[in-house]
């Protein structure tokens, strides 16, 4: 077995026991990246030229990682996969990355994504698409497609992504890894380039649940630089081999029953429910009528409104792409923003401008905030009746690259199962259930706010049954 094939917890144990060295791990991962990257294109920037110095006594000492390119890295180009950020080098580190670095992690690169995290295919990148390492003709999902593909192809044992409406969970499921979207406020958003600030949350990808727990224990917890970060005592993500789901209630959503799913996903739902029942869980049903009917419209109204405000700062004056020969400030703003943003981002800025424009604001933006409250209340009620909700991550298996590019609405609707979780600030786990042919099939477990460690415990029980995903061939074997 090559070192790049080892999971995070195996690497930390092996390094501690002196079975191999950090530089051997680094070289093995680097060689793996060299081998696959031409096919996968998971990275915007590589930083694995040579082994950097790292903190020797932290939890992640010597562990290679990759982070999404919307997380600020001090002095290192951070693009959010846009042209408009140009060669911007942030003057500070995102807290989540700073915590990884302080605990010894070694950065191998910045991952490709949909521009400003808008999309679910990784095809909206100004740097070209990432390919699914299980089948390079297919999308890896998005927007954190590069981070998911990198873990699936064995570049690194874990990576970070961000999830505004599914961007960790959906690519995790498409690439065949675990992806965890924590409760809103669990991980500091400081230094995460904002898309929809009330929805954005950073989280990890890994090939085992135990690895997710290790990363969560490092990145979670209060940060005075983010006023929305959780102030209570740190959450406990200790791995518990004896966790049980006996007597816990697991619900499916009544209204989703009539919605069409690709056969492998429907089949995975059945098999997972059976496993949970055999483990002693009580299978039940909850009703989420507002979620099932209005969540997609509500999410896109809010996400686009917030995006339009957040992206106002890219004006060619302070940072990034600019034009030097404009006649006057108006022409400069116009040209910077028309030349600097990609088509999907521009469409959303325009939509967000319309949705919040004074004569329409009540009818759209304000109405969407009210629907969001109803959705949060609906989930609160549901979590009085159940401990977890089991549902798909997506209605369909990953499509071919370029296939759905002209049908934005279809893409938005495909987020139905992921984005309600962000609207209500809940934690959600995308877990692996096996393969249909060469493509992995993932499902999602959701819990009440702050039930993050319980969800990961339940995920571990499922991992025992389904097995951990294997490293994909990366289009080379
Ligand atoms: N696909 C959704 C969107 O485009 C979610 C993206 C995300 O979670 N960043 O908004």
């Amino acid at each position: 077995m090559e070192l790049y094939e080892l999971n995070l917890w195996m690497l930390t144990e092996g390094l501690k026991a002196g079975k191999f060295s950090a530089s051997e791990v680094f070289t093995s991962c680097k060689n793996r990246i060299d081998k696959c990257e031409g096919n996968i294109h998971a990275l915007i920037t590589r930083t694995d030229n040579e082994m950097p110095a790292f903190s020797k006594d932290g939890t992640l000492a010597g562990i290679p990682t990759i982070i999404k390119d919307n997380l600020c890295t001090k002095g290192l180009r951070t693009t959010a996969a846009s042209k408009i950020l140009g060669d911007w080098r942030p003057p500070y580190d995102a807290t989540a990355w700073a915590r990884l670095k302080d605990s010894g992690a070694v950065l191998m690169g910045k991952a490709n994504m949909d521009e400003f995290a808008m999309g679910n295919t990784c095809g909206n990148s100004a740097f070209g698409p990432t390919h699914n390492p299980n089948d390079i003709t297919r999308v890896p999902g998005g927007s954190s497609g590069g981070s998911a593909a990198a873990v699936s192809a064995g570049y690194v044992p874990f990576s970070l992504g961000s999830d505004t409406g599914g961007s960790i969970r959906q690519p995790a499921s498409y690439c065949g890894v675990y992806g965890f979207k924590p409760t809103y406020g669990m991980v500091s958003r400081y230094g995460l380039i904002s898309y929809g600030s009330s929805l954005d949350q950073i989280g990890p990808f890994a090939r085992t649940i135990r690895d997710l727990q290790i990363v969560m224990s490092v990145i979670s917890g209060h940060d005075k630089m983010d006023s929305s970060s959780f102030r209570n005592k740190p959450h406990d993500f200790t791995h518990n081999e004896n966790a049980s789901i006996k007597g816990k209630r697991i619900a499916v959503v009544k209204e989703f029953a009539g919605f069409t799913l690709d056969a492998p996903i429907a089949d995975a739902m059945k098999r997972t429910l059976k496993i949970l029942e055999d483990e002693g869980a009580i299978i039940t049903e909850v009703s989420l009528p507002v979620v099932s009917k209005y969540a997609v419209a509500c999410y896109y109204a809010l996400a686009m409104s917030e995006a339009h405000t957040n992206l106002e700062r890219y004006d060619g004056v302070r940072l990034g792409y600019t034009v030097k020969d404009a006649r006057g400030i108006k022409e400069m703003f116009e040209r910077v923003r028309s030349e600097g943003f990609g088509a999907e981002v521009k469409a959303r800025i325009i939509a967000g401008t319309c949705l919040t424009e004074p004569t329409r604001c009540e009818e759209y933006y304000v109405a969407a905030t009210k629907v969001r409250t109803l959705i949060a209340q609906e989930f609160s009620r549901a979590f009085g009746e159940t401990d977890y909700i089991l549902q798909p991550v997506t209605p369909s298996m990953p499509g071919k690259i370029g296939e759905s590019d002209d049908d934005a609405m279809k893409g938005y609707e495909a987020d139905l199962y992921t984005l309600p979780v962000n609207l209500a600030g809940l934690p959600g786990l995308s877990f692996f259930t096996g393969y249909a042919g060469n493509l992995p099939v993932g499902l999602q477990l959701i819990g009440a706010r702050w039930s993050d460690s319980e969800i990961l415990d339940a995920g571990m029980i499922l991992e025992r049954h389904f097995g951990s995903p294997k490293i994909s061939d990366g289009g080379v074997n």
Side-chain angles (χ1 to χ4, degrees), residues 117-120 143 163-167 195 299-300 348 415:
M118 298 178 195
N120 53 18
S143 65
D163 190 312
T164 305
S167 279
Y195 162 20
Y299 168 86
Y300 276 97
R348 293 189 189 200
D415 292 340

Side-chain angles (χ1 to χ4, degrees), residues 354-367:
C354 295
L355 292 162
T356 51
E357 188 259 337
T359 60
R360 297 195 190 92
C361 193
E362 264 315 301
E363 200 182 339
Y364 293 103
Y365 174 73
V366 176

Side-chain angles (χ1 to χ4, degrees), residues 216-237:
M216 282 306 298
S217 69
V218 174
I219 64 173
S220 62
H222 180 62
D223 174 19
K224 67 177 187 331
M225 302 304 283
D226 173 5
S227 60
S228 64
S229 95
F230 182 43
R231 279 178 188 281
N232 287 358
K233 64 174 174 33
H235 213 73
D236 183 8
F237 286 103

Side-chain angles (χ1 to χ4, degrees), residues 121 123 129 137 139 399-406:
T121 61
T137 67
V139 300
K400 295 272 183 190
I401 289 178
E403 193 177 56
S404 64
D405 286 0
D406 308 325

